[in-house]
Amino acid sequence: MAANRNNYSTEVLIIGAGAAGLLAAWELARAGRRVCLVEAQDRIGGRVHTLGPPGFTRAIEAGAEFMHGEVPLTRALLAEAGITWEEADGESYLVQGGELQAKANYFDLLPPLLEKLGALAEDMPLADFLAREFQGPAHAALRTFATQFAEGYDAADPHRVSAWAMRDEWSAGGAQDSPRPVGGYGPLLHWLAAQAQAAGALLHLGAPVREIRWQPGQAEVVTAVGATYRAQQVLCTVPLGVWQQGPQQAGYLSFVPEVAAHRAAAAQLGFGSVIKIVLEFRTAFWEDRLPELEFLLSDAPVPTWWSQLPAATPQLTGWLAGPAAQQLAEASDETVLQLALASLAPLLAVSPEALQAQLCASYVRNWGREPYAYGAYSYATVGAGAAQAALAAPVAGTLFFAGEGAYSGPFAGTVEAALVSGQDAARALLALPVPAVTPNSAT
């Protein structure tokens, strides 16, 4: 009898083929579970996207790029996959008010911040903390540093981000350690997908989930393209931006019955927007002015730039994050590109015309308007620990949840967070008895 191509049955259905979903699929499949992984987009990776647009001489990272901190699971998986990573030992520069400062150490202002944060008995938003503890013109530079760091590095709204979370992040020092996987994160995620499939997991792309109807021990998942999946257990790894969509908004994910506690927890957490602009030039013409350039920070509209050191590729990546990126969520790529070029030209001490003449290729990725993501990565608000635990809590041994937004730990907002969360959810699922109702094999 021919199988119905629009109806599938499996033991575990995983929603989302990003880092969390792929690692969970591998964990479950190699433990003997029948797994089907469905992904809304026509590619794997989620907010990791390594690609080679026209005009570029090497692959670029449209999403996650760096390894911040020790990230032990990421490093272990890279090693198992035979993928190395590389660190740049270049120079950081700062341009403020048109003045160039070489060998800029942006973290010199940390000691007084950490001293006050260490004495903070009750958590509060960072902006409130700065206004209370560092008033007046004498502390203007410190307030600016802390605010710009929260917005630019954490993609956070300083009026929502937790002061305690910023204290923990600054104390850990992960922002000062930024190696990259050689070839980008894409090869690691493709390796994970291959491992999961070799272990028996099925992967269906172009299958955006719209509704999850469930009861203890079974679920029916309906996609926007009319396919129906039946499973004993569902692991949902969608980004926090999907959780935060309203019923009338694109990408809204419906649960029947509703999981109100999870929805409320997701609403309490922060989810930041990011725009990346990758530019490749004919030559690294900035080397005379900025030798060994690794990072360049400024007060320009697109304030953060970095090179591809240690690679010699004449490429610069612009970064705009947090509220400033959110304001441009609906801007066209051309508008963003022109803003980036207008920001970069004076930083490199060249005319806009000279910069344009050097430009070979450009690419803009605006994560605020990215379908099935609606942002870049999470940040901790006041009370985030309880909200993250609530979002990650399984329901009736049937619904499980993972993703970097559900992660609580020292690597928030990173690929490591997604991987750890996916692994933890898969192991929690495996620790439970297999439900008594067993669907037919996946078709």
Side-chain angles (χ1 to χ4, degrees):
M1 180 183 296
N4 186 338
R5 61 181 297 192
N6 292 318
N7 289 276
Y8 308 88
S9 294
T10 188
E11 288 182 351
V12 183
L13 183 74
I14 300 176
I15 301 171
L22 290 168
L23 183 53
W26 183 29
E27 289 270 341
L28 293 165
R30 64 180 173 176
R33 295 295 178 91
R34 287 184 285 110
V35 177
C36 184
L37 181 62
V38 294
E39 164 57 43
Q41 305 205 61
D42 60 0
R43 62 172 182 84
I44 67 165
R47 285 162 285 160
V48 168
H49 194 189
T50 306
L51 72 163
F56 286 90
T57 57
R58 60 177 282 167
I60 68 170
E61 291 285 46
E65 183 167 347
F66 296 102
M67 299 160 57
H68 296 295
E70 290 301 315
V71 294
L73 181 54
T74 301
R75 291 173 188 257
L77 290 169
L78 286 168
E80 189 171 352
I83 301 170
T84 59
W85 55 88
E86 57 188 4
E87 302 197 40
D89 189 22
E91 295 292 345
S92 293
Y93 295 86
L94 177 66
V95 177
Q96 294 278 4
E99 296 295 321
L100 174 65
Q101 178 184 341
K103 300 184 184 299
N105 186 348
Y106 320 115
F107 299 97
D108 286 344
L109 294 169
L110 276 181
L113 267 172
L114 290 175
E115 181 181 354
K116 290 285 189 179
L117 284 167
L120 187 63
E122 184 175 343
D123 198 9
M124 63 176 61
L126 178 67
D128 294 351
F129 165 77
L130 293 172
R132 190 182 79 178
E133 300 292 341
F134 295 98
Q135 301 177 21
H139 298 299
L142 185 148
R143 292 195 305 273
T144 298
F145 162 79
T147 301
Q148 290 181 342
F149 189 100
E151 292 181 344
Y153 183 79
D154 293 276
D157 179 347
H159 296 280
R160 294 195 68 209
V161 69
S162 157
W164 279 357
M166 298 306 300
R167 173 199 64 195
D168 295 345
E169 181 178 293
W170 285 327
S171 298
Q176 303 176 61
D177 178 25
S178 301
R180 297 180 179 92
V182 174
Y185 272 109
L188 174 63
L189 268 64
H190 282 278
W191 178 83
L192 284 173
Q195 296 298 113
Q197 289 174 294
L202 299 178
L203 174 61
H204 292 183
L205 301 177
V209 171
R210 287 291 174 261
E211 187 174 66
I212 301 171
R213 307 175 192 138
W214 67 278
Q215 58 183 308
Q218 56 184 299
E220 185 176 88
V221 175
V222 181
T223 72
V225 294
T228 299
Y229 295 82
R230 292 178 177 84
Q232 295 162 282
Q233 295 164 309
V234 173
L235 172 56
C236 181
T237 73
V238 299
L240 199 56
V242 173
W243 277 106
Q244 293 179 350
Q245 294 292 95
Q248 305 306 316
Q249 293 180 293
Y252 177 76
L253 181 58
S254 172
F255 287 83
V256 182
E258 178 62 282
V259 286
H262 291 74
R263 191 86 67 183
Q268 184 180 342
L269 295 167
F271 194 61
S273 192
V274 163
I275 302 174
K276 287 185 80 170
I277 309 102
V278 188
L279 308 175
E280 185 161 324
F281 299 94
R282 301 182 191 284
T283 63
F285 61 91
W286 53 84
E287 287 184 342
D288 288 342
R289 172 176 166 83
L290 307 170
E292 296 298 313
L293 168 65
E294 183 179 359
F295 283 98
L296 171 62
L297 272 71
S298 74
D299 50 8
V302 178
T304 304
W305 295 86
W306 60 78
S307 72
Q308 289 297 304
L309 281 181
T313 311
Q315 193 180 101
L316 294 175
T317 298
W319 175 267
L320 186 63
Q326 188 59 46
Q327 291 175 7
L328 292 170
E330 300 304 320
S332 69
D333 288 352
E334 182 60 27
T335 297
V336 172
L337 175 62
Q338 293 307 315
L339 180 68
L341 293 173
S343 297
L344 185 59
L347 301 179
L348 302 183
V350 298
S351 68
E353 294 77 17
L355 187 66
Q356 189 74 52
Q358 276 276 354
L359 187 64
C360 297
S362 63
Y363 181 87
V364 174
R365 191 60 163 269
N366 191 334
W367 287 95
R369 58 181 168 85
E370 182 79 5
Y372 314 115
Y374 311 107
Y377 51 87
S378 65
Y379 62 88
T381 52
V382 176
Q388 289 158 341
L391 184 57
V395 178
T398 304
L399 301 180
F400 295 79
F401 306 93
E404 61 86 19
Y407 165 89
S408 179
F411 305 112
T414 65
V415 175
E416 175 81 359
L419 292 169
V420 170
S421 177
Q423 185 180 72
D424 287 349
R427 292 178 177 179
L429 191 154
L430 289 170
L432 296 176
V434 177
V437 179
T438 304
N440 295 326
S441 298
T443 57

